[in-house]
Amino acid sequence: MKHIALKITAFIFGIALWLYVVSLNTFKVELDIPVRLVKLPEMLAIASKPPHTMRITLEGAPFDLMRLRSKVMQGDTTAAAIIVDLQDVELGATRKPIGEKNFSAPNFSNIKFIEPDNQLLFIDLDLDTRIERNVPVRSMVTFDAATGYLLTDEPKLEPDFITVSGARNVITRIIEIPTDSVSFSGLVHDTTYSIPLDFKQFPAHVSPGDSLTSISVNIQKIGKKFYRDIPVQLIGMFDRETYRLNPPNVSVEITGGEGTLDSISNTSIELFVEFNRFQIEDVDSLTPTVKLTLPSGVNREMSIKAIQLSPDKVSLQDIKKLAAPADSLDEDAEEKLE
């Protein structure tokens, strides 16, 4: 244990000397460096899928290489890049060679690009005319109202299309853009949600005009409303002095969204029965057909849950036959008086 401080000092000095000697040497390392395409003419677009990175050999001081490797591994695209200048490209297929002039590492000036022996590095690209097109958005969102509430209309997307820009032969193959798959439940009031668009399957180098869409849902509390003495019409070709419906009026109970029910009055409801149906179906009574007139924009299929009639059926009566017994009684009374 004698001279422990001296030994520690010697050890630290030895490590420092080793690090100094190592730093005087250069090393080579292979790294996957991001590829950056620049100066593409405005009227052209990339139709192929170029590589996101390229494996190249770099030479430099070990500590510089270690720091650069760490930044690249962390996803820092500004640390180093393979820059490909496209300002002179033309329509169609093109091949761009990659060399020392394409390598950029602004904060690592001592690191150099090493071209491989007997091998040419390059990037192949397909270029097409750039166009814009409106692509429909498809909702992948599900909505469920809380118990006692009702979703009274289809969810509305705004916008329901997205403008995309890119190569003609790529853009024309895009049919729709889906939203993220999410769900909302227990809804009790109208709400608008901002939903991200799903670009995971989107072609390379296609630029969407937006990354979000808004989806609005209309929620109403479920209620019931009674409409009394609604006349039932007998329609078709028949002798109106001979036939009639019994009862002539019925009550209607409608179950649906409270907001929708508030827009319905007695005049919004029409009931009718076709005369020929009694003979065709060979029955004495039928359920009237309901015609419900709702304000424009109201989704009947979703905002109305049920319609019930009371009584639920009406019968066809022959007025002359009903009057016949009374007429016979009058004749018998007259004979007795005589």
Side-chain angles (χ1 to χ4, degrees):
M1 296 297 292
K2 291 183 178 181
H3 309 295
I4 186 66
L6 182 61
K7 293 179 180 178
I8 292 175
T9 302
F11 175 76
I12 294 174
F13 179 77
I15 293 294
L17 181 61
W18 178 82
L19 292 174
Y20 173 74
V21 173
V22 167
S23 67
L24 296 177
N25 297 323
T26 59
F27 289 82
K28 294 181 180 180
V29 66
E30 288 188 349
L31 289 177
D32 291 322
I33 301 300
V35 175
R36 190 186 307 161
L37 306 178
V38 299
K39 298 182 181 179
L40 178 67
E42 290 185 3
M43 299 303 296
L44 295 180
I46 297 171
S48 58
K49 189 175 182 180
H52 293 294
T53 62
M54 175 175 285
R55 179 167 284 265
I56 61 173
T57 301
L58 299 176
E59 183 181 67
F63 296 119
D64 288 341
L65 292 173
M66 289 172 62
R67 287 195 302 116
L68 178 60
R69 179 186 178 89
S70 175
K71 287 182 176 294
V72 170
M73 295 297 291
Q74 292 173 6
D76 185 351
T77 57
T78 63
I82 300 295
I83 299 176
V84 183
D85 190 337
L86 301 178
Q87 63 179 340
D88 59 346
V89 296
E90 297 180 354
L91 193 67
T94 186
R95 171 169 288 184
K96 302 294 291 185
I98 303 300
E100 182 179 359
K101 63 182 180 61
N102 299 104
F103 176 70
S104 172
N107 298 322
F108 298 90
S109 57
N110 294 326
I111 294 180
K112 296 182 179 181
F113 175 95
I114 303 299
E115 296 190 11
D117 296 333
N118 302 320
Q119 183 183 0
L120 178 64
L121 296 179
F122 58 85
I123 292 177
D124 286 331
L125 300 171
D126 288 329
L127 297 151
D128 198 358
T129 304
R130 178 179 295 277
I131 65 169
E132 285 189 352
R133 176 168 167 255
N134 294 331
V135 180
V137 175
R138 179 164 64 95
S139 174
M140 302 297 292
V141 186
T142 57
F143 299 96
D144 290 307
T147 303
Y149 289 82
L150 189 67
L151 185 66
T152 59
D153 201 359
E154 295 291 346
K156 291 181 172 58
L157 284 81
E158 181 61 40
D160 58 0
F161 66 87
I162 296 296
T163 301
V164 296
S165 172
R168 179 188 300 275
N169 63 352
V170 175
I171 294 294
T172 54
R173 293 198 298 266
I174 302 175
I175 300 174
E176 59 187 12
I177 302 174
T179 68
D180 281 355
S181 297
V182 293
S183 61
F184 301 93
S185 58
L187 305 180
V188 297
H189 53 75
D190 296 352
T191 311
T192 299
Y193 298 90
S194 184
I195 307 297
L197 300 173
D198 183 1
F199 295 117
K200 289 194 291 291
Q201 303 300 322
F202 222 53
H205 290 279
V206 173
S207 303
D210 205 340
S211 61
L212 298 170
T213 188
S214 295
I215 303 183
S216 302
V217 291
N218 184 266
I219 305 293
Q220 295 181 20
K221 190 174 182 179
I222 298 175
K224 290 184 179 181
K225 194 170 181 179
F226 293 90
Y227 305 85
R228 304 188 185 280
D229 297 325
I230 306 298
V232 184
Q233 304 175 55
L234 183 62
I235 63 174
M237 301 295 292
F238 64 95
D239 185 351
R240 300 184 182 279
E241 295 183 357
T242 304
Y243 296 101
R244 70 182 180 187
L245 294 174
N246 183 47
N249 300 320
V250 300
S251 295
V252 180
E253 178 187 272
I254 302 179
T255 303
E258 289 184 344
T260 301
L261 296 179
D262 289 340
S263 68
I264 300 173
S265 64
N266 282 31
T267 58
S268 306
I269 306 170
E270 294 182 63
L271 305 177
F272 57 88
V273 176
E274 189 173 353
F275 178 78
N276 290 338
R277 283 183 58 199
F278 288 99
Q279 291 183 333
I280 295 172
E281 300 181 29
D282 192 23
V283 292
D284 296 326
S285 60
L286 290 168
T287 300
T289 300
V290 180
K291 180 182 178 182
L292 183 60
T293 303
L294 297 173
S296 61
V298 175
N299 187 325
R300 172 173 174 166
E301 298 297 323
M302 299 183 68
S303 61
I304 302 297
K305 288 184 65 68
I307 299 177
Q308 291 184 323
L309 306 181
S310 178
D312 62 337
K313 292 184 178 182
V314 294
S315 59
L316 182 66
Q317 290 183 333
D318 188 326
I319 301 173
K320 293 182 178 180
K321 287 184 179 180
L322 290 174
D327 293 342
S328 299
L329 289 173
D330 291 342
E331 291 176 359
D332 291 343
E334 290 176 1
E335 289 177 359
K336 289 179 180 181
L337 288 173
E338 291 176 355

